[in-house]
């Protein structure tokens, strides 16, 4: 059985389930999909806007990654402009505002020049918050560290240094910090000072013990670094935040069931807005921000689980596509296993992946592993269905972490014995 047949044999209903997840998160209300208008047609408009703003250099559109790359006259890569956020914003805008958005897109493609000195750079330094896989994907595509000065935040997010201008944000490369003789920590402190100098935005009370910060400056998410903002919301327990998009920061307390439900419901709406970040709730601990879920039975639990699940699924789907493309281009024979969503009778979403005895594979970290014997044919059911934790406990070197990959993946080069699979099946079946 081929690797594609493996995917088809156990990946039944994946597209329908992904759609179902999106509908659940929007309370069943139909949302306008980014595919409601042809992305390639939008890319043509984007190319026209970029040429109008700066006719120099060559522009190339990559439909697979939905981005436009600008090359300088000497042939060097000048910039990469990802179109996803602009496209979502375009679709959400009234027709009369779309021209202005395209003009802004064109200006965003003209990156400001790098300041010659740190004294020139410091007044425009800012700190942004993005999904962590935004920067991890740079390394996956190029094999080199991302050309961005960034650090992980709360496991699933990232902070990054940018040079802010009226028309564009320019990520600050590590080489620039070295040229200026400035450490990341020094630049970060100055960026935070600039963040504090932004016009203050009042917290809006969502309910007793839950607040929201809503801006139009792309820095609402960044304000989770400002203690006076986070502590400005009186909460029960440790502060808990969600940053569903760049212009929304939601705050409540870890011991406030009503506040958590209010924030979870607001986050459902926030992740559908343009320029989404992540739906995972984070709790402020002694070790910094960490992913958080309330106790089972809490009214907000299932919503926050779904928000975190959808964010994780999105990251894995993008990673899977890029790794498979990389294998194809390099002529590799490693099977990149998919992250398969599923839903139980109680409405909880969980993830599965396929471990086949046919060659080497890269598995995502999922809740359940389906073990497939290729010799039984494409229509045969899995020979075992085992929770991930049971497999990790006993698999040893059969299941090894793949270093330097995010979201995490594991390389498998063999297959468990028939006796081991039988034991796992029996143990998994116990109530």
């Amino acid at each position: 059985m081929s690797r594609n047949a493996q995917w088809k044999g156990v990946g039944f209903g994946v597209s329908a389930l992904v759609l179902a997840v999106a509908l659940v998160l929007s309370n069943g209300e139909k949302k306008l999909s980014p595919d409601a208008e042809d992305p390639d047609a939008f890319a043509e408009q984007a190319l026209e806007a970029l040429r109008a703003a700066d006719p120099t250099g060559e522009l190339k559109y990559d439909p697979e990654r939905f981005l436009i790359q600008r090359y300088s006259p000497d042939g060097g890569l000048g910039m990469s402009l990802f179109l996803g956020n602009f496209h979502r914003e375009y679709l959400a805008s009234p027709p009369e505002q779309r021209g202005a958005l395209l003009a802004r897109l064109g200006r965003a493609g003209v990156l400001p020049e790098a300041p010659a000195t740190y004294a020139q750079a410091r007044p425009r330094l800012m700190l942004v918050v993005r999904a962590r896989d935004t920067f991890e994907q740079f390394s996956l595509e190029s094999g080199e560290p991302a050309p961005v000065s960034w650090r992980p935040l709360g496991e699933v997010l990232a902070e990054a240094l940018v040079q802010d201008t009226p028309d564009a944000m320019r990520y600050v490369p590590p080489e620039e910090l070295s040229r200026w003789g400035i450490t990341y920590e020094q630049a970060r402190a100055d960026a935070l000072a600039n963040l504090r100098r932004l016009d203050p935005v009042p917290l809006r009370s969502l309910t007793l013990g839950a607040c929201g910060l809503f801006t139009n400056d792309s820095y609402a998410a960044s304000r989770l670094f400002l203690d006076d903002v986070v502590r400005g919301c009186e909460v029960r327990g440790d502060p808990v935040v969600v940053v569903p998009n760049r212009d929304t920061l939601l705050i409540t307390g870890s011991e406030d069931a009503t506040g958590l439900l209010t924030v979870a419901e607001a986050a459902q709406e926030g992740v559908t807005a343009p320029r989404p970040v992540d739906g995972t709730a984070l709790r402020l601990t002694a070790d910094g921000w960490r992913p958080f879920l309330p106790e089972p039975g809490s009214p907000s639990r299932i919503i926050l689980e779904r928000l975190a699940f959808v964010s994780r699924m999105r990251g894995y789907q993008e990673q899977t596509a890029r790794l498979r493309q990389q294998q194809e281009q390099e002529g590799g024979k490693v099977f990149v296993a998919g992250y398969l969503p599923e839903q139980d009778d109680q409405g909880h979403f969980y993830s599965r992946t396929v471990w086949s005895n046919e060659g080497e594979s890269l598995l995502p970290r999922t809740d359940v592993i389906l073990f497939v014997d290729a010799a039984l044919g494409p229509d045969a059911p899995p020979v075992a269905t085992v929770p991930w934790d049971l497999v990790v406990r006993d698999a040893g070197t059969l299941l090894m972490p793949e270093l330097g990959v995010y979201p995490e993946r594991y390389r498998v080069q063999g297959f468990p014995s028939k006796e081991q699979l039988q034991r796992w099946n029996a143990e998994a079946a116990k109530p």
Side-chain angles (χ1 to χ4, degrees):
M1 177 170 74
S2 71
R3 298 304 178 89
N4 285 338
Q6 287 179 33
W7 171 263
K8 293 176 183 176
V10 298
F12 53 86
V14 170
S15 297
L17 186 56
V18 171
L19 177 59
V21 173
L23 290 175
V24 167
L25 289 179
S26 61
N27 291 322
E29 180 182 350
K30 185 177 180 181
K31 298 292 180 180
L32 184 63
S33 164
D35 295 326
E37 293 186 15
D38 182 14
D40 292 338
F42 176 78
E44 285 299 323
Q45 296 183 76
L47 286 166
E48 292 179 10
L50 289 165
R51 292 188 186 103
D54 183 1
T56 63
E58 182 184 6
L59 296 173
K60 292 184 178 179
Y61 170 52
D62 183 341
E64 293 292 329
R65 294 185 291 169
F66 200 33
L67 65 82
I68 294 173
Q69 294 175 310
R70 182 188 291 278
Y71 292 84
S72 58
D74 61 6
L77 179 60
M79 57 147 282
S80 296
L81 185 68
F82 291 88
L83 299 177
N85 284 323
F86 281 108
H87 190 208
R88 281 188 287 268
E89 192 174 350
Y90 179 88
L91 294 174
S93 299
E96 65 272 12
Q97 296 180 12
R98 291 179 172 181
L101 184 143
L102 287 168
R104 176 159 55 85
L105 183 154
R107 295 193 299 272
V110 184
L111 287 179
E113 293 185 3
T117 67
Y118 186 65
Q120 294 172 326
R122 181 164 42 194
R124 292 197 174 276
L125 281 181
M126 294 292 282
L127 204 62
V128 296
V129 172
R130 301 289 184 264
R132 179 176 171 177
D133 47 38
T134 301
F135 306 119
E136 296 280 5
Q137 294 299 336
F138 279 110
S139 301
L140 180 61
E141 292 173 3
S142 66
E144 301 291 336
V148 177
S149 300
W150 71 280
R151 297 289 186 274
L153 168 66
E155 298 182 26
V156 297
L157 301 179
E159 62 174 60
L161 290 169
V162 299
Q163 176 193 358
D164 196 2
T165 71
D167 293 322
M169 289 181 184
R170 173 184 173 274
Y171 287 113
V172 177
E175 298 77 28
E176 231 157 74
L177 296 180
S178 298
R179 178 165 57 82
W180 293 330
I182 297 294
T183 65
Y184 180 89
E185 288 70 24
Q186 289 173 301
R188 183 184 190 277
D190 288 328
L192 280 178
N194 292 338
L195 182 65
R196 291 189 182 94
R197 282 193 282 269
L198 290 178
D199 292 337
V201 178
L203 284 170
R204 185 188 306 172
S205 176
L206 304 179
T207 190
L208 185 64
C211 307
L213 187 75
F214 306 96
T215 71
N216 290 309
D217 60 10
S218 291
Y219 291 111
S222 302
R223 287 172 169 89
L224 67 84
F225 297 117
L226 305 182
D227 192 64
D228 58 326
V229 172
V230 174
R231 302 287 182 182
C233 186
E234 296 185 11
V235 302
R236 292 171 50 199
D238 297 327
V240 172
V241 301
V242 185
V243 286
N245 59 68
R246 299 182 192 180
D247 285 319
T248 303
L249 172 63
L250 304 170
I251 309 168
T252 189
S254 59
E255 299 176 11
D256 188 339
T258 302
L260 286 166
L261 180 59
T262 300
V263 160
E265 291 174 342
Q268 284 188 128
E269 183 68 23
V271 294
T272 67
R275 305 189 182 278
V277 178
D278 195 276
T280 306
L282 302 177
R283 179 180 186 171
L284 186 58
T285 71
D287 297 321
W289 294 104
R290 293 290 181 268
F292 167 79
L293 285 175
E295 293 296 321
S298 171
S300 63
R301 171 81 182 212
I302 194 168
I303 301 176
L304 291 174
E305 276 185 337
R306 288 169 177 167
L307 284 164
F309 181 88
V310 170
S311 294
R312 188 163 56 250
M313 180 175 65
R314 180 212 63 224
Y316 267 123
Q317 288 178 332
E318 292 176 357
Q319 182 197 63
T320 300
R322 286 178 169 84
L323 283 172
R324 287 179 176 176
Q325 184 181 45
Q326 186 180 74
Q327 286 290 312
E328 184 178 345
Q329 291 171 346
E330 297 175 359
K333 297 182 179 180
V334 177
F335 176 58
V336 181
Y339 186 88
L340 311 177
E342 190 56 86
Q343 188 175 16
D344 64 21
D345 295 337
Q346 287 73 45
H348 296 278
F349 291 101
Y350 64 96
S351 56
R352 307 182 303 165
T353 193
V354 176
W355 184 340
S356 170
N357 62 353
E358 189 181 36
E360 190 174 354
S361 298
L362 280 174
L363 306 185
R365 169 67 169 88
T366 57
D367 299 304
V368 173
I369 298 178
L370 306 177
F371 291 89
V372 173
D373 184 348
L376 298 178
D379 297 323
V383 295
T385 300
V386 187
W388 180 276
D389 292 341
L390 278 184
V391 178
V392 170
R393 185 192 67 188
D394 301 334
T397 57
L398 282 178
L399 184 71
M400 296 297 292
E402 186 77 354
L403 299 179
V405 176
Y406 180 89
E408 62 187 297
R409 281 198 179 254
Y410 294 76
R411 187 175 291 266
V412 297
Q413 296 176 294
F415 201 69
S417 67
K418 182 178 180 180
E419 292 73 23
Q420 180 65 78
L421 291 172
Q422 288 174 342
R423 286 198 300 272
W424 279 340
N425 260 341
E427 192 167 349
K430 291 179 181 178

